[in-house]
Amino acid sequence: METQNTFPNDILSIPVIPAPAVEDKQGRHRLYKKLRSFAIYVLLLVHFYIFILKWLPVPYTLTMLQRKISCRGCSIDYQWVSYEDMSPYVKIAAVASEDQRFPSHWGIDREAVRQAYRENQWRKKRGLPLRGGSSISQQVAKNVFLWQGGGYFRKALEVYFTYAIELIWGKQRILEVYLNVAETGPRCFGVEAAARRYFHKPARKLNLYESALLIAGLPNPIRWNPGRPSAWLYRRQQHIIRQVHLLGGYAYLRDLRRF
């Protein structure tokens, strides 16, 4: 007896879709785990480096490396000096010139950023150079851990490192690092190397006028030489000295946060 097919022909003609390969899922899962492990490893390594730099001198920066590569056979003048061995005048001159709300903000001076944005809109319309609104903490984060230049990715990393050093280092250490790694002349980094190059004395012996003159050149240390100051550099020096007096002198930094 013949058996009769009870299934409709249209059901029998439906194509069979193969299930995703199990091996592909496992491969993607292994790749995800490797990437996650690598990201965690890099994050731990970065935070360990931030942590040890709370006490150890910064060995080198990418800016120093860039300057050395751009001038083959040239040496980098970089001499680390402790916070206690810096003149109090160079500390307050740096804050008066670069970041007057440094003792009170948590890494990013939002008011300075807003002011710089408004001023830069005015400057753009007139074709003038733009002004930066970075705090001392942001400049340290960029100088120690990142590269020079712009871009949203680098700026995002800068914000991350800024908050990290504010939390781990504290204000006094941030200012100490800033005054040690800031570019102060052609292949010259830090106030100790600059004080010896331009004024033939250690950084602890700088007076207010020398300190203000040295800090006055920081916006463009390759162009402006404190050893042979221009009229513009002298005007900027006098402006910094006035700001130091308005802040109340070194007493303004007496209670800087150390944690």
Side-chain angles (χ1 to χ4, degrees):
M1 179 183 294
E2 294 183 1
T3 59
Q4 185 176 1
N5 186 2
T6 59
F7 294 98
N9 290 333
D10 56 345
I11 294 179
L12 293 175
S13 62
I14 295 176
V16 178
I17 300 175
V22 177
E23 291 80 4
D24 291 346
K25 286 186 176 181
Q26 291 177 344
R28 288 195 296 269
H29 184 64
R30 284 195 296 268
L31 178 61
Y32 170 75
K33 288 182 67 176
K34 287 181 179 179
L35 291 175
R36 185 180 63 182
S37 299
F38 177 74
I40 293 174
Y41 173 78
V42 170
L43 200 60
L44 290 174
L45 192 62
V46 166
H47 280 84
F48 176 73
Y49 186 55
I50 296 173
F51 187 75
I52 63 173
L53 287 185
K54 182 178 175 67
W55 295 283
L56 298 181
V58 176
Y60 224 63
T61 68
L62 285 177
T63 305
M64 295 177 191
L65 183 61
Q66 290 171 355
R67 297 292 184 257
K68 189 172 181 62
I69 291 174
S70 64
C71 181
R72 294 182 180 180
C74 299
S75 60
I76 298 297
D77 193 358
Y78 171 49
Q79 301 176 52
W80 181 274
V81 62
S82 69
Y83 189 83
E84 292 73 19
D85 285 334
M86 296 178 187
S87 165
Y89 298 116
V90 76
K91 300 171 191 174
I92 187 59
V95 171
S97 172
E98 300 295 309
D99 184 4
Q100 294 191 5
R101 283 183 283 269
F102 175 71
S104 57
H105 66 63
W106 273 86
I108 297 177
D109 186 350
R110 300 181 186 278
E111 181 59 31
V113 172
R114 284 192 289 267
Q115 289 176 1
Y117 176 78
R118 289 194 294 267
E119 183 177 335
N120 286 337
Q121 297 305 306
W122 179 84
R123 286 173 172 267
K124 278 182 181 179
K125 294 178 181 178
R126 290 159 179 77
L128 298 173
L130 302 183
R131 182 178 76 86
S134 296
S135 66
I136 285 177
S137 303
Q138 287 176 270
Q139 293 180 55
V140 169
K142 178 182 69 174
N143 290 337
V144 175
F145 301 104
L146 302 171
W147 59 93
Q148 301 296 323
Y152 291 111
F153 178 67
R154 192 203 62 79
K155 200 66 178 177
L157 289 177
E158 179 185 305
V159 171
Y160 177 82
F161 280 110
T162 296
Y163 284 124
I165 62 176
E166 281 280 342
L167 181 64
I168 297 173
W169 289 3
K171 291 292 187 182
Q172 190 177 106
R173 178 61 174 178
I174 290 172
L175 185 57
E176 178 184 24
V177 173
Y178 174 75
L179 291 170
N180 271 292
V181 303
E183 191 170 18
T184 49
R187 297 176 302 282
C188 181
F189 292 85
V191 295
E192 180 70 15
R196 294 184 181 276
R197 174 183 290 192
Y198 300 125
F199 305 114
H200 312 291
K201 62 173 66 175
R204 69 176 182 273
K205 293 186 177 181
L206 291 174
N207 60 38
L208 176 58
Y209 297 95
E210 293 164 339
S211 298
L213 194 60
L214 192 156
I215 297 299
L218 289 188
N220 194 337
I222 306 301
R223 177 181 177 184
W224 297 318
N225 184 347
R228 294 191 298 274
S230 62
W232 184 92
L233 208 59
Y234 274 126
R235 287 195 299 271
R236 183 165 169 79
Q237 175 205 42
Q238 294 305 308
H239 172 74
I240 292 172
I241 292 172
R242 286 194 298 272
Q243 295 302 309
V244 167
H245 291 315
L246 288 173
L247 291 176
Y250 183 68
Y252 186 69
L253 302 179
R254 189 162 293 158
D255 298 321
L256 274 184
R257 179 167 53 85
R258 297 190 181 189
F259 57 89

